[in-house]
Amino acid sequence: MQNSAIIKTENLSKTYPLGLTALKALDTVNLSVATGEFLGFIGPSGSGKTTLLNIIGCLDAPTSGSAKVLGQPVESLSHKEAARLRMNRIGFIFQTFNLLPVYTVFENVEFPLLLLGMDAERRRGHVMDALQWVGLADRADSKPAQLSGGECQRVAIARAIVKKPELVLADEPTANLDAKNSHHIMQTMVQLNKELKTTFVFATHDEKVMAYLNRKIVLADGRIVKDEAGGQKSNVRDQKP
Amino acid sequence: MLTLKLALRNIVGAGIRTWLNVVALSLSFVIIIFMQGLYNGMNDQVERATIDALYGGGQYWQKLYDPYDPLSLTDAHAVVPANIESLMTNNEATPILIRQATIYPEGHFRSILLKGIDPNQHVLTLPSFLLNEHRNLKGDGSIPALIGTRMAKSVGLQKGDEITVQWRDVHGTFDARDMKIVEVMKTPVQEIDNDQIWISLDRIQELTSMPGQATMVVLKQKVKDQKSEATFKNVPGWNFKNLEFLLADIHALVKQKTIGASILYTILLFLALLAIFDTQVLSIFRRKKEIGTLMALGMTRAKIIRLFTIEGAFHAFLAAIVAALYGIPLLVYIARTGIALPASYDTMGYAFGEKLLPAYSAGLMIGTTLLVLLSTTVVSFLPTRRIARLKPTDALRGRLS
Ligand SMILES: Nc1ncnc2c1ncn2[C@@H]1O[C@H](COP(=O)(O)OP(=O)(O)OP(=O)(O)O)[C@@H](O)[C@H]1O
Ligand SMILES: [Mg+2]
C-alpha cells in the first residue's frame, strides 16, 4: 500500500495566456507521491505551488502532460467526475479557511458528509470525532465569526478530514495564523497523518510548516528544482521516487 | 432534499436581506390578491345588481329593438303576446316600454329615454313602487318620475324638481308634459340611470297611445331557472335574450378594467422580483469564493445552480407564509366589513355599490401563489447561469470573471 503512488505526474505543464505571450506556471513537472506522505511544495511567490496543487485537486486541468491522482487521469476527467472524486476522496484546506459563514461549526464540518448522503446519526458521530481531533468539540454550535483564525482553520481541517479522505491538499494553511496557532494546526495534521494514514500535500513558504514536512519539493518558475527528505518534527516515512 | 435543506440554511442565515425580500414579495402577494379580490367582488356586485334591477331572468325584446340604435325605438313597440302576458299576470314577468324623448335642462336640448314600468311589479329591484306612492299627482298635476343619481347630477335635477319632457306619440305627433322627480335613486346600475327617466307604464302607454304595448318584457329570475330556454324561444315577433347575452357588455368592460388594474400589481411584482434578482446577482458576486469552496468540496456546477435557484425561490415560499400571517386576517377583515366608497366615486364611469365587498376565490389564491413562485424561480435561476461558466480555481480566488 505504501509503495503505490497516490499522485503521479508526467511532463505536467500549465500555461496561462498572458497578452501575446504565454506564462508557464508549470513546466514539465515529474512527480510521484506515495500514500501516507506528508510533503510540501515550497518556493517563492509565483513559482507554481497553487497551480500544481489545484491540478492535483482536479480543480484545474493541465495544458499538457498528465497527472494521475488516486488512479484517475486528471486531464481527461469531466467536471462531474472531478467533482465526484473530490467529494469522495480529497479534502481541501485553504489559506483563508473558506468556512461557510452562515453555518455553525458543526454544520460546516457536516457538509461533506451531507454531500455523501450519510444518515444523520452517522454524520453526528463523524463530525464530533473530527471536532475532537482538532480540539473544538465544545464549539460545535458556534458560528465561524465567533472563532479566532486558528480555530477557524482547525474547523477547516476537521471539515477536510471528516470523511476520512485519502488525500488532503492544503494551500498556505498557516498564512493567516500566528506562530502558536500554526504549530497547533501542524501538529494536529501530523497526528492525523499518523493515525489515519492520510496523505497530506502542502503548498507553503512558511518555515514553520516546512519544519513538519517529511519531504520538501522546491519549485521555481514552474519547475521542480529540489526534492528533499527531511523534517525533524515529522514521522519518518519518506519515499522518493 | 439535500439542496432544499442547504438552501433553507443559507437563506435563513442570510438574515435581514432575506427578510426584506420576503416582505416585499409578501406585499405583492397580498396586494395582488386584494386587488383581484376587489375587482372580483366589484364585478360580482355590479353583475348581481344589474341582474336584480334590470336583466332579471332574461328579456324578451320586441324584434325591432336594438339598444345600440336609438332610431330603432320609433318602431320597437308591440302588444305583449298572450303567452308572455300569462307570465305577467302571475307576476313572473314585467313589461317595459321605451320611448325616445327630449328634455331641455337649463335651455339645452338633450335626448333621453323615457321608460315605463309597472309600479306594482315585483320582478325587478328597480324601485318602481316610488311612482305609486305619488299616484296622487296623477290628473292635472305633473307626472311622477324617477331618475338615478348620475342622471340627476348630469342634468342638475333634484328630488321635487319639475322638468318638461317632450316626445312623439304613436302617430309621430309631438306631445309634452311636465314631470316631477319624486325620487332620485342611488343605484350601482348605470343602465337604469344614465340619460333616462322612469314613469309608470300605464301613463306612458296612455301618453303615447300605445295601450298594452311594450318594448321588452323582463322575466323574473326564478322563472328562467325553472323552465328550459326552449320554452322562451318561440314567441313570434319577440326575441328572447338570455343573461349570458345581456351580460356580455358588462363582462367585456370588466375584462378591460381588470387588465388596467393588473398593471399596478404587475409593477409591484416586478419591483419585488427585481429585488430578488438583485439579491441573486449580488449573492453570486459576493459568494464567489463560497461557490469555489462548494466546488472543492465536491458539488457540481449543476448542483450549485440548483442550490442558488432554490434559495431564490424559497423567498417566495417564505413570502407566502408571511403573507398568510398578516394577509389572511387583513383580507378577511376587509371582506367582512367592505370598503365604503365616497359618493362621487361612480363618476369614474363604473357602477359601484355603496360598499365594496372583495371576493377571494381559491383559484385566485392558488393562481397568485403559483405566479409568484414561478416568476421568483425564473428570476432566481437567470443570474445563476453565470456559475455554469465559472472555473473552480477562479471561483476560489473570488475573482470576477
Ligand atoms: N488564472 C490565472 N491566469 C493567469 N495567470 C495565472 C493564473 N493563475 C496563476 N497564474 C500565474 O501562474 C504563476 C503561478 O501561480 P501560482 O498561484 O501557482 O503561484 P504560487 O506559487 O502559488 O504563488 P504564491 O506563493 O504567491 O501563492 C503566477 O505567475 C501567476 O501569476
Ligand atoms: Mg499560491
Side-chain angles (χ1 to χ4, degrees), chain A residues 49-50 171-172:
Chain A
K49 306 181 294 289
T50 297
D171 193 355
E172 316 268 12

Side-chain angles (χ1 to χ4, degrees), chain B residues 159-193:
Chain B
K159 181 176 175 178
D161 286 354
E162 293 208 356
I163 185 149
T164 308
V165 183
Q166 191 188 55
W167 65 89
R168 287 169 191 264
D169 68 10
V170 73
H171 310 295
T173 318
F174 277 108
D175 196 357
R177 286 295 149 84
D178 283 345
M179 296 193 179
K180 182 168 181 156
I181 308 301
V182 296
E183 196 67 70
V184 174
M185 50 183 180
K186 223 172 167 182
T187 171
V189 184
Q190 288 186 61
E191 288 194 58
I192 63 167
D193 186 338

Side-chain angles (χ1 to χ4, degrees), chain A residues 54 59-60 79-80 83 86-87 92 94 96 98 100-103 107 110-112 114-115 123 159 163, chain B residues 2 5-6 9-10 13-14 289-290 293-303 391-393 396-397:
Chain A
N54 282 342
L59 291 168
D60 210 349
H79 169 77
K80 225 172 151 176
R86 287 194 297 271
M87 176 175 85
F92 284 88
F94 305 95
T96 50
N98 293 22
L100 304 172
V102 302
Y103 291 9
E107 288 166 343
E110 184 190 27
F111 195 91
L114 279 173
L115 289 185
R123 282 205 307 267
R159 179 177 66 182
K163 63 188 175 193
Chain B
L2 171 63
K5 185 173 178 167
L6 298 179
R9 267 188 195 174
N10 286 345
K289 201 167 185 180
E290 182 183 329
T293 308
L294 295 177
M295 286 174 170
L297 291 175
M299 276 182 100
T300 59
R301 291 191 189 102
K303 266 193 192 151
K391 285 194 349 197
T393 48
L396 272 172
R397 270 172 220 246

Side-chain angles (χ1 to χ4, degrees), chain A residues 44-51 53-54 95 171-172 203-205, chain B residues 397:
Chain A
S45 185
S47 56
K49 306 181 294 289
T50 297
T51 306
L53 211 59
N54 282 342
Q95 175 180 342
D171 193 355
E172 316 268 12
T204 187
H205 42 227
Chain B
R397 270 172 220 246

Side-chain angles (χ1 to χ4, degrees), chain B residues 4-17:
Chain B
L4 280 179
K5 185 173 178 167
L6 298 179
L8 193 63
R9 267 188 195 174
N10 286 345
I11 121 163
V12 171
I16 187 79
R17 181 163 271 279

Side-chain angles (χ1 to χ4, degrees), chain B residues 231-246:
Chain B
T231 54
F232 298 113
K233 287 252 167 76
N234 216 358
V235 183
W238 294 72
N239 299 324
F240 183 70
K241 304 292 179 187
N242 61 16
L243 271 185
E244 200 181 320
F245 173 87
L246 294 170

